[in-house]
Amino acid sequence: SHHELRKLHVRVDLIKMATKKSGGIYMYSNQCGCDGSRVYFDGSSMVAINGNIVAMAEQFNMADVDVVTATVDLDEVRSYRGSIGSRSVQASTLPPKFKRVLVDIRITHEINYSITDNSLI
């Protein structure tokens, strides 16, 4: 809502939480200025990595162009994600709730692609 107070604080918390939960890079871009009626976009574009805001534009900036840049390390993200206990690991320790049935079936036919005549090559 455009009537909500401290919207930037809520937005920053959501972006930090999203990247802290599972790791990653979040690049948020927002317009700055008025849409001609009652809504004013506050800017505040930002870059977050693994739950930390590493770059953020000024809020309510009056410049025509505002560029936010950040250097990101993908190995840092990979390392962060590797340090988080995964839900899939927890799920793998549970016994399966369904019986597995093995069926000897093939979806395609086996085709022999060997070339017997070498004169074409």
Side-chain angles (χ1 to χ4, degrees):
S1 168
H2 56 280
H3 296 293
E4 183 178 344
L5 297 175
R6 290 180 290 285
K7 193 185 307 188
L8 177 62
H9 180 69
V10 173
R11 188 182 317 140
V12 168
D13 285 347
L14 286 172
I15 291 171
K16 287 169 67 174
M17 186 174 48
T19 58
K20 187 174 186 176
K21 184 176 182 179
S22 60
I25 300 166
Y26 198 113
M27 293 180 279
Y28 176 79
S29 178
N30 194 14
Q31 296 178 347
C32 190
C34 185
D35 74 341
S37 62
R38 59 185 177 175
V39 179
Y40 187 84
F41 298 100
D42 66 349
S44 301
S45 300
M46 64 188 86
V47 178
I49 301 172
N50 299 334
N52 299 312
I53 303 295
V54 295
M56 188 164 124
E58 186 179 337
Q59 189 177 21
F60 301 112
N61 190 354
M62 298 304 290
D64 290 337
V65 177
D66 195 7
V67 179
V68 177
T69 61
T71 302
V72 297
D73 184 2
L74 297 180
D75 287 331
E76 181 182 336
V77 174
R78 185 179 300 119
S79 174
Y80 184 86
R81 285 181 174 173
S83 70
I84 299 173
S86 173
R87 287 177 271 170
S88 62
V89 172
Q90 294 171 357
S92 68
T93 61
L94 299 173
K97 295 183 179 182
F98 54 89
K99 185 178 177 182
R100 185 171 291 200
V101 178
L102 299 176
V103 179
D104 186 22
I105 188 170
R106 293 191 182 153
I107 297 175
T108 62
H109 298 290
E110 203 170 300
I111 300 173
N112 185 0
Y113 287 106
S114 63
I115 299 175
T116 56
D117 185 11
N118 292 349
S119 63
L120 300 175
I121 300 178

